[in-house]
Amino acid sequence: MNSLLKFISITWAIALPLWSFSSDDTIEKYTLSGYIKDAKNGEDLIGASLFIKELKSGTNTNAYGFYSITLPKGTYTVLISYLGYKSTLQQLDLSQNITQNFALEDESIKTDEVVISERRKDENVQAVQMSMNRLTIEQMKKIPVLFGEVDVIKNIQQLPGVQSVGEGSSAFFVRGGSSDQNLILLDEAPVYNASHLAGIFSVFNGDAIKSAEIYKGGIPAQYGGRLSSVVDIRTRDGNMKKFAGTASIGLLSSKATIEGPIVKDKGSFVVSARRTYFDLFLKASSDPALRGTSIYFYDLNAKVNYNLGPRDRIFAAGYFGQDVLKTNQFGLDWGNATATVRWNHIFNNKLFSNTTAIFSDFNYGLGLTSGVQAFRWEAKIQELSLKQDFSYFLNTNNEIKFGLQLTNRAFQPGTIMPKSEISIFKETRMPLNNAVEYAFYASNDQKLTERLTLQYGLRFTLFQNNGATVYDYKNGKPTDKDDITDTLKFDYFDVDKSYYGFEPRFGARFALDENSSLKASYNHTYQFMHQLSNSASPLPITMWVPSSRYISPQTSDQVALGYFRNLLDNQIEFSVEGYYKWLNNTIDFKDDAQLLLNPTVETEVLRGTGYSYGAEFSVKKTAGKFTWSAAYTLSWTKLKIPGINEDREYFASWDRRHNLNTNLFYEITPRWSIGAAWTYGTGRPITLPAGKYDHEQTSVLVFSERNGERTPAFHRLDLSANLKSKKKPGRKWDSVWNFSVYNAYNRKNPFSVYTQNVGVGGSNATQTNNKQIVMLWFFPIIPSVTYTINF
Amino acid sequence: MKNPQIIPIALLSIIIMYCGKPIDITDQYELDENSNRIPKIAFEGRISNQIDSNYVKIRRVVGIRSSKSPIIENASVTVSDNRGNSELLTYVGYGRYQCLSLLGINDGRVYTMTADVEGKTYSAISVMPNTPLPFDSVISVADEENEGKFKVLIYAKVHTEFDEYYLFQNFVNDTLQNGPGDIDYADNSILNGKINGFEVANNLEKGVVFRYKFYSLTKEAFKFYEGISSQLNNDGGVFTTPPANVKGNIARAGGLFQGTYFLTDTITVR
């Protein structure tokens, strides 16, 4: 079935452009192009809408706030709108090519009436893109969060079709895919580990973020490399108009941002920094073990941008973050660093170019500091990439995108060094590895008729595994390291194994009427990078490996169908989407697989298939003083991996049958606002024993079914209230108090459910071989206060 | 001595345990102990270089709510080697079938256990592992962290030219100190061959008799203990792997029959 869909899509992608690019040369046409920005600070607005009322047609800004639309000569009423901003109407006389920039003002919620009459909010119905959510920082701030820390990943975990494993984890699972199947980009640089403090926070500082787009299906052809989702996070560019800043003090972390123009309206910078101070609280503990423990993280985001001229603009952005967890004897640290340099160039009103150089690094280290077991273990992955993207706004009915990307990845899977003269450990180095990936893509958004719009594209990827140390095994199968018959070493750029493939992408929107539409999509994707994690949520120290002669690329085919409808003049958005996803060469691991510091990790990998299907319902009101949303997902995810569960199908660890997320936000007065969020999910799969037997001094558990039981259900209510400072004439700063209560009714939600030995004897418990099933819960009711000052 | 790979998991678990409280929810689950997907009996068998440590125990697999595994008393158990030696083990009570004459010898011998239990036949094969290098010394010194008490250090060498696997047990006044949750095992893959003053016990009273037992294991037995340790350390949290059956070497049954070579040393703590 999925091969048939792939064939049909490739055929359409090649054939459609041959007969569908039509232009009527008798009609005089001109191009309107420019940027849409925030009037207050000059930030580009991504995905802002420009709509031509007379033609009932329009376009959106790209990731750099640029738009272009070609229209017949004439006079038009142009409506420019963006969520959270006041829409604006402008009359334009298009008798030549025009460059016209627009600036939108922040929306002050005065009356709903004013908002409705000017706003074009049918983007969710009219756009061909489905299975995509765009989050702005203003929307994210409305949802109450743990410790008052706005977090883009926690927001993503609330979306329909997205599952989390529960509290204390930043891992997320999209439409049945595992957590390593999500491509997380920060200003186009991939982030390999998005967790601080093992997932309690993500690495994304809310003050540095402008917006995030998550594609759960219908993934456009310019994205590739992961099967299940793309999270494209863009950071703010900095205030182009004046110097400004923000400082926040919370219970467990503080952060500060400073920004301003380099040259007013030509260039700007922004720097954001954040640090937690758990360690300071621990030092005050009466428990000596806790006093000697340090747990903290810090991160820094920085960005500059500058307009070199009317056609050229450059950006440079960087992120650096580190987590530290240590006791008197033990230390663990991990961190990410990313850097991008981008050049936007406008060739003409129709052709926009973006050239990006990308660097990404993820590394970790751990060890014991002294004594006979002193050691230090380090590992890292580094990526260098060059990317070229073009957007060609051919005419009103066709927007063509094409480009290429070249990526080199260097893997250092692990090195152990003894750290004292009496250490029992020897220096051990895992073999290095290198991989090169070439990708080419082309796509077109094409309006065929008033009702029917298509989005089709094709991506081609060539992947090469280089510079590896490769083992030959008996019978050619990597079953055990004792079966190694030969060792081959490849130089840095010598290719051991190549893979390539075409990835067709297809989307369609059929407008039923002005307020409703049907949409469909199909995508075929490859994944050549695999995270070595056999837990539900990856450890902070899990590494990535490339596809190789023994680890084939994973592939996926997904189809989706959706109905979208807006009600009450676009005040309320409703959608229902169904999907089915096939997973091939999906990876799992042998029981008790040793994935860390294992040079023959291919002997621990098992491959099989999986499938996932479900339905997502979403309804939301996004305008006015009172906004709310509800998202419900019903889904199944199953895997079948020979060697696991006696070759029978089993539920994936992230399978969750029902998931409901609701939230509401109300602006009581211009100063006071309140919010609430309630989330519910049925239990996630766990493996519990069916029996046990005694062996020597211990007791051994016996299991009949992988993931055959479920944790208790999860539900939680979070509340928040915001109090803004009074506006005083002449005052150059304002402030906000945020009061929040996480888990307001103190629900003991399962962090884990497991079997343990029963202890007897109170505080000096002695273990027995009697077993019990226990549930560990993590977060009780947690109030928090954050004070933020803006200047 | 712990495999470094479990250290980060253990530390994260420790940190998390300070924050959360476990709640007993055993009664919320009906677990099918009669499932035909699990074995009904389990073996614990050993052939070693010391005759009184050569035995086979047979027990039933029970539900997790049971306190003990019932023993099986009327089985017929034979151990033989590939040199033509064989012995029908003698039942000595408490589910234990004792070897009286067969000794484990490390000269390439392969040992086979065959058991007839309630009309069914079970068998397992094991080789003898390498002979470990003898200890250089085992000494007791003052324990700086526990005033007035002592700790025990060992000095030894381990092979590095081939893979080797170990299990460790501590005895104080002939009482095993390793508790139900304490499996102490390791391999030599990242060791440099010298064990210089490795602490194997602490907080010991003056005058107690401390015995240290150091087993050399087969790879199969190492994987078995690794599986048990993984079960014991598995807190079911999002960072731990799905619990799994421990792989033994007896088809249709749980447990392990293993050849093992061990060293032991005894000191009086002073």
Side-chain angles (χ1 to χ4, degrees), chain A residues 330 423-424 426 480 482 537 592 594 596 691-694 696 698 701 703 705 710 754 773 775 777, chain B residues 5 11 23 25-26 29 37 44 46 59 62 66 69 180 190 192 219 225 230-231 235 238 245 255:
Chain A
F330 177 80
S423 174
I424 59 175
K426 66 181 180 192
D480 192 282
D482 291 339
S537 183
D592 296 322
Q594 296 303 314
L596 299 176
K692 65 167 187 174
Y693 61 87
D694 292 336
E696 295 174 13
T698 191
L701 300 172
F703 301 91
E705 185 84 34
R710 298 272 167 169
Y754 59 100
I773 296 169
M775 182 186 86
W777 56 283
Chain B
Q5 295 185 8
L11 184 67
I23 304 170
I25 57 171
T26 312
Y29 293 94
R37 291 190 184 142
E44 175 191 328
R46 181 178 283 157
R59 300 181 180 92
V62 293
S66 302
S69 300
I190 53 174
N192 61 18
K219 183 177 176 181
Y225 290 111
S230 179
Q231 284 188 359
D235 66 4
V238 295
N245 285 314

Side-chain angles (χ1 to χ4, degrees), chain A residues 315-371:
Chain A
F315 303 78
Y319 166 85
F320 179 77
Q322 196 77 7
D323 278 74
V324 176
L325 193 159
K326 62 184 178 187
T327 67
N328 289 330
Q329 292 193 338
F330 177 80
L332 170 64
D333 55 88
W334 69 90
N336 294 279
T338 67
T340 55
V341 176
R342 284 174 286 166
W343 170 40
N344 289 171
H345 178 65
I346 300 173
F347 285 91
N348 53 52
N349 285 356
K350 292 191 178 188
L351 183 59
F352 178 93
S353 156
N354 177 54
T355 309
T356 311
I358 299 164
F359 169 78
S360 179
D361 175 286
F362 168 66
N363 64 81
Y364 71 81
L366 65 101
L368 293 170
T369 53
S370 61

Side-chain angles (χ1 to χ4, degrees), chain B residues 4-256:
Chain B
Q5 295 185 8
I6 71 165
I7 290 173
I9 300 163
L11 184 67
L12 280 166
S13 300
I14 289 166
I15 301 292
I16 287 163
M17 289 298 288
Y18 276 114
C19 304
K21 298 271 185 285
I23 304 170
D24 186 348
I25 57 171
T26 312
D27 291 340
Q28 292 185 23
Y29 293 94
E30 289 180 20
L31 302 169
D32 185 11
E33 63 196 64
N34 297 314
S35 168
N36 58 11
R37 291 190 184 142
I38 64 171
K40 301 303 175 198
I41 61 170
F43 292 81
E44 175 191 328
R46 181 178 283 157
I47 185 83
S48 73
N49 54 315
Q50 186 162 320
I51 195 73
D52 56 2
S53 292
N54 299 349
Y55 66 91
V56 173
K57 281 187 184 170
I58 311 175
R59 300 181 180 92
R60 294 196 192 280
V61 176
V62 293
I64 69 160
R65 295 176 176 88
S66 302
S67 57
K68 275 190 93 62
S69 300
I71 54 178
I72 291 176
E73 297 184 297
N74 53 358
S76 168
V77 184
T78 303
V79 176
S80 57
D81 66 21
N82 58 346
R83 303 290 173 88
N85 301 300
S86 179
E87 180 180 340
L88 178 67
L89 305 192
T90 304
Y91 184 68
V92 296
Y94 300 104
R96 184 177 174 118
Y97 299 78
Q98 185 66 39
C99 258
L100 300 177
S101 64
L102 206 61
L103 202 64
I105 299 173
N106 181 10
D107 61 357
R109 290 187 200 214
V110 177
Y111 292 87
T112 303
M113 176 206 77
T114 307
D116 288 314
V117 182
E118 295 170 350
K120 292 183 183 160
T121 303
Y122 303 86
S123 64
I125 293 173
S126 181
V127 297
M128 285 294 288
N130 306 309
T131 307
L133 295 171
F135 297 133
D136 292 338
S137 59
V138 180
I139 64 170
S140 62
V141 298
D143 186 344
E144 312 89 359
E145 296 189 14
N146 297 285
E147 195 178 330
K149 302 289 178 66
F150 295 83
K151 61 184 180 183
V152 175
L153 308 178
I154 66 164
Y155 292 79
K157 293 181 186 57
V158 295
H159 289 116
T160 56
E161 60 275 28
F162 46 78
D163 294 339
E164 209 169 46
Y165 309 96
Y166 320 107
L167 182 74
F168 314 98
Q169 287 181 332
N170 296 347
F171 295 81
V172 172
N173 295 337
D174 269 337
T175 302
L176 178 66
Q177 299 300 294
N178 297 73
D182 188 11
I183 306 289
D184 206 0
Y185 71 102
D187 67 348
N188 68 343
S189 60
I190 53 174
L191 301 181
N192 61 18
K194 295 177 212 150
I195 311 295
N196 290 328
F198 186 80
E199 182 182 309
V200 297
N202 57 30
N203 202 26
L204 298 175
E205 296 279 355
K206 186 177 176 179
V208 300
V209 176
F210 176 83
R211 180 155 55 98
Y212 189 64
K213 242 177 163 178
F214 177 94
Y215 295 82
S216 177
L217 305 175
T218 61
K219 183 177 176 181
E220 202 171 51
F222 172 80
K223 288 288 185 190
F224 182 82
Y225 290 111
E226 188 176 65
I228 298 177
S229 179
S230 179
Q231 284 188 359
L232 293 169
N233 286 302
N234 195 312
D235 66 4
V238 295
F239 303 117
T240 50
T241 62
N245 285 314
V246 176
K247 195 173 173 195
N249 61 351
I250 306 154
R252 297 173 288 112
L256 181 76

Side-chain angles (χ1 to χ4, degrees), chain A residues 403-420:
Chain A
L404 56 95
Q405 184 168 6
L406 169 63
T407 303
N408 184 75
R409 297 184 184 99
F411 301 83
Q412 185 183 307
T415 304
I416 279 193
M417 304 290 289
K419 279 299 178 187
S420 73

Side-chain angles (χ1 to χ4, degrees), chain A residues 434-445:
Chain A
N434 189 54
V436 181
E437 189 173 323
Y438 310 82
F440 308 87
Y441 75 91
S443 69
N444 185 27
D445 283 19

